[in-house]
Amino acid sequence: TYETPYSTIVRVANGLEDPGQNWIDLSGGATDHTDATIPYGFALLNDSKFGFDCLDNDLRMTLLRSPIYCFHDPEQIDTEKEYLYMDQGPQAVNYALLPHIGDWQEGEVAREAHALNNPLEYQFQYPHAGAWGTSGVLLEVIPPNVHAVVLKGAEDGDSTILRLYESEGKSTEAEITLPGGRKLETTLIPWELKSLRIERNGSIHEVDLLEEVV
């Protein structure tokens, strides 16, 4: 199973390379301590590579490719020209291995990959006076198959834009807790990318990627 933008594609483990993004998962069966077969899988998460393949039980990620940049058939190399080549120089990649019971949805693979690509950041603060407690939630989205990928000011006006997507291919009722504790609910269809415009007066409108009301 490969992740593509806002959907997944299931491929046969035949060793052919396919494009993907943040994760790839190989799922099947394993045996427990009683030799009973249980659904089991193994995911490879990463932050910067886009080629994967599976051959039987082997799961692989392409780390380097060095063709000419944007060079495709039927073009031929001209020895009189200078070309730019891909993946030259030092390379860095963060990846993680994620075994899980059940299929990739049960293993919350998409959510773990999202977390790998969006690590927590912090800023140290000295003790000072204030009304906030020692901990709190600025934004919470449940259930885990709905991801918040954008929370920002609108391009025009003083509204807030919240962008969500559904990652497991199923219709979902989502509950969002916004900064300040305000809650709202919305429905997402399978694989949907949804943008909400939250006005200062409390009204909420669904908008497109240009932030225009749908």
Side-chain angles (χ1 to χ4, degrees), residues 24-211:
I24 177 176
D25 183 81
L26 182 62
S27 291
T31 55
D32 63 13
H33 65 284
T34 66
D35 288 332
T37 300
I38 59 173
Y40 196 81
F42 189 87
L44 170 61
L45 320 177
N46 92 101
D47 69 346
S48 57
K49 301 301 173 182
F50 308 101
F52 307 93
D53 70 89
C54 292
L55 181 61
D56 298 326
N57 290 329
D58 290 334
L59 182 62
R60 299 184 290 190
M61 174 174 64
T62 301
L63 293 177
L64 296 174
R65 296 176 63 88
S66 56
I68 297 172
Y69 180 73
C70 289
F71 194 86
H72 306 282
D73 289 338
E75 294 293 327
Q76 299 294 317
I77 294 177
D78 184 343
T79 58
E80 300 299 318
K81 290 184 178 180
E82 292 187 359
Y83 295 96
L84 295 175
Y85 287 81
M86 298 175 59
D87 290 350
Q88 302 297 298
Q91 305 286 315
V93 56
N94 291 320
Y95 69 93
L97 306 178
L98 178 66
H100 58 84
I101 296 175
D103 59 18
W104 64 271
Q105 290 100 328
E106 293 178 85
E108 298 186 359
V109 172
R111 189 174 186 85
E112 293 295 333
H114 184 72
L116 177 73
N117 281 267
N118 296 273
L120 290 174
E121 297 184 9
Y122 71 92
Q123 180 173 339
F124 182 80
Q125 185 61 264
Y126 291 97
H128 58 79
W132 284 16
T134 56
S135 64
V137 176
L138 294 179
L139 177 67
E140 181 181 23
V141 180
I142 52 175
N145 60 304
V146 178
H147 298 214
V149 291
V150 171
L151 181 66
K152 70 179 190 71
E155 294 299 312
D156 63 322
D158 58 358
S159 306
T160 299
I161 300 296
L162 172 64
R163 189 162 296 132
L164 311 164
Y165 83 92
E166 197 288 313
S167 66
E168 294 183 3
K170 57 188 180 184
S171 296
T172 302
E173 296 289 334
E175 180 182 287
I176 301 101
T177 303
L178 297 170
R182 182 186 173 195
K183 296 183 182 294
L184 62 93
E185 296 180 349
T186 188
T187 301
L188 290 91
I189 63 175
W191 313 122
E192 183 177 8
L193 174 66
K194 174 176 284 191
S195 297
L196 301 175
R197 183 183 182 112
I198 305 167
E199 307 291 354
R200 290 283 186 176
N201 62 11
S203 62
I204 299 172
H205 308 282
E206 185 176 345
V207 296
D208 59 22
L209 293 179
L210 296 178
E211 301 181 11

